[in-house]
Amino acid sequence: ALALSGEAAGSPGGGMRVCLVSDFFFPNMGGVENHIFCLGYCLAAHGHKVVIITHDYGRRQGVRFVSGGLKVYYLPVTTFYNQCTLPTVVAELPLMRHIFLREQIDVVHGHSSFSTLAHNALLYAGALGIPTVFTDHSLFGFSDLSSIITNRFLQFTLCNASHVICVSHTGRENTVLRARIAVDKTSVIPNAVVSSVFVPAASAQGLAGGNPVVRRDSTEEIVVVVASRLVVRKGASLLAQALHAICNLDPRLRVVICGDGPRRIEIQEAQERHQLQDRVKIIGAVPHEEMPSVLTQGQIFLNCSVTEAFCMAIVEAARSEQMRGVCLHPAPFTQTQPGNEKNGMHQPTHKNNFPQLRPAGGDD
């Protein structure tokens, strides 16, 4: 809200100078990467100066300019796991301090709890007296080693943050508990999609209640679309175990998997083990602008994420076609119900309101 108000006079046009920081940015593909690019693009369109800081990707180092005139600093720092930089706390201080002062930054905005670079940027900006904002995109646990380390980082980086943004009410509860911050220091801003990009297929005829109606023959194949990074947290291992059972539900059923990651090999092994080469198609990573053409192929969108703060792909699928959303979870899904609040926070209830996969029959 501060950035869009245009009250500050940091940039020549009267806007602010905003620095977006994260380990995750293009050419890496993902929801956080796309969110940062779209946010930067929209801020620049409102007259603000936007600078993005991330680590280098192979030969992509130094200063680059991407679409929309966004200036990106690819810092020459070492990554050690899942595109995250080493948590040295002080290694990037000279570089970031130089960028903050050179660009005359007014606000530093960090993204993702996984990003060590974002945590460091908030610490450095706080020491320099620059206001900071943090956006948390994911849910985390409390007991495993990775969550314990990440939550500890979050506690001492957010203690001096000006404000924290979460993408859902469940994500807000999770962040408040993990970082031990005041509830009034956080806000919920749900993600959104560009409705003009994700539109129903051209074959849709007629409208019923504002939704396109597609008449399908009983012999027509049923396409299930999966779109996510093939990693443990996104349920790639669960998907590999469930593929055989899913394909046995109906002989007309076909699965299209869009995405890439270290767990892709498990899905390929399951595909070969159960001889599903003609039923399961893995198309790999797809540029975001080509996602509408992938989503409009299917009638069912399948989400297998173990934890999900706000699944952008489900929203995009719902907008792209008349698709039923189905979730596979190894444990009951935690969500919040309106009115179930206490001390200003939504309390979680353990109910699964998502439809279950079952053999087709009758009017299904």
Side-chain angles (χ1 to χ4, degrees):
L2 262 178
L4 292 177
S5 66
E7 296 177 358
S11 64
M16 302 185 72
R17 295 179 178 269
V18 183
C19 181
L20 308 178
V21 187
S22 180
D23 279 311
F24 313 110
F25 193 65
F26 297 123
N28 199 43
M29 301 295 293
V32 176
E33 293 85 346
N34 189 63
H35 174 88
I36 294 173
F37 173 78
C38 292
L39 175 62
Y41 183 86
C42 292
L43 288 173
H46 280 79
H48 304 285
K49 173 67 181 297
V50 180
V51 174
I52 299 173
I53 299 178
T54 186
H55 63 75
D56 62 334
Y57 283 88
R59 298 179 60 184
R60 189 181 292 250
Q61 297 182 351
V63 181
R64 301 290 183 98
F65 286 87
V66 297
S67 302
L70 300 180
K71 189 176 184 179
V72 185
Y73 286 88
Y74 289 93
L75 305 185
V77 292
T78 304
T79 59
F80 77 109
Y81 174 72
N82 197 25
Q83 296 297 340
C84 290
T85 55
L86 286 166
T88 59
V89 180
V90 296
E92 298 88 9
L93 175 58
L95 287 172
M96 286 201 186
R97 177 184 178 276
H98 176 74
I99 295 171
F100 293 161
L101 297 180
R102 177 183 181 181
E103 300 290 347
Q104 301 178 9
I105 298 300
D106 297 315
V107 176
V108 173
H109 189 172
H111 289 264
S112 181
S113 298
F114 279 114
S115 175
T116 307
L117 211 60
H119 290 301
N120 291 345
L122 264 62
L123 291 174
Y124 305 153
L128 293 170
I130 302 173
T132 57
V133 180
F134 182 78
T135 297
D136 200 357
H137 294 264
S138 305
L139 300 179
F140 279 85
F142 297 88
S143 58
D144 59 286
L145 181 60
S146 174
S147 297
I148 292 172
I149 295 173
T150 303
N151 295 345
R152 184 62 65 181
F153 267 100
L154 205 63
Q155 288 174 19
F156 66 76
T157 53
L158 296 190
C159 62
N160 290 323
S162 304
H163 205 73
V164 178
I165 299 171
C166 303
V167 296
S168 67
H169 288 287
T170 301
R172 182 188 187 187
E173 298 168 1
N174 186 259
T175 301
V176 167
L177 292 174
R178 288 162 45 224
R180 300 181 182 180
I181 56 177
V183 179
D184 56 5
K185 195 178 180 180
T186 62
S187 297
V188 176
I189 304 179
N191 292 321
V193 298
V194 181
S195 58
S196 60
V197 174
F198 294 91
V199 295
S203 60
Q205 300 292 332
L207 291 175
N211 294 319
V213 177
V214 181
R215 303 297 181 184
R216 293 188 170 88
D217 188 81
S218 59
T219 60
E220 186 179 351
E221 68 179 7
I222 302 170
V223 181
V224 177
V225 177
V226 180
S228 73
R229 287 178 287 116
L230 302 182
V231 296
V232 174
R233 195 171 62 86
K234 293 295 183 179
S237 299
L238 177 62
L239 175 62
Q241 297 173 24
L243 273 180
H244 186 229
I246 292 173
C247 291
N248 283 341
L249 293 176
D250 196 300
R252 301 171 296 165
L253 195 143
R254 185 168 62 89
V255 181
V256 176
I257 301 174
C258 171
D260 207 347
R263 297 292 173 171
R264 177 172 177 168
I265 186 66
E266 290 187 23
I267 297 176
Q268 291 174 329
E269 289 175 350
Q271 183 188 37
E272 296 176 1
R273 184 185 312 116
H274 301 291
Q275 300 180 356
L276 299 174
Q277 288 84 349
D278 58 335
R279 305 280 302 278
V280 177
K281 181 180 180 181
I282 305 173
I283 59 179
V286 173
H288 192 258
E289 61 269 18
E290 296 180 14
M291 279 302 299
S293 62
V294 175
L295 293 174
T296 52
Q297 296 178 23
Q299 295 86 51
I300 299 174
F301 181 84
L302 178 61
N303 177 37
C304 303
S305 294
V306 178
T307 61
E308 194 72 83
F310 190 105
C311 184
M312 283 295 300
I314 286 181
V315 181
E316 294 170 351
R319 174 61 187 169
S320 298
E321 183 56 289
Q322 187 185 9
M323 303 177 72
R324 289 190 64 187
V326 179
C327 291
L328 286 180
H329 285 277
F333 187 73
T334 301
Q335 46 187 335
T336 56
Q337 300 293 339
N340 185 16
E341 302 177 8
K342 182 180 180 181
N343 299 327
M345 291 180 59
H346 294 263
Q347 300 301 310
T349 57
H350 298 277
K351 294 182 179 180
N352 191 340
N353 295 329
F354 292 97
Q356 301 296 316
L357 283 176
R358 63 179 187 274
D363 297 330
D364 288 350

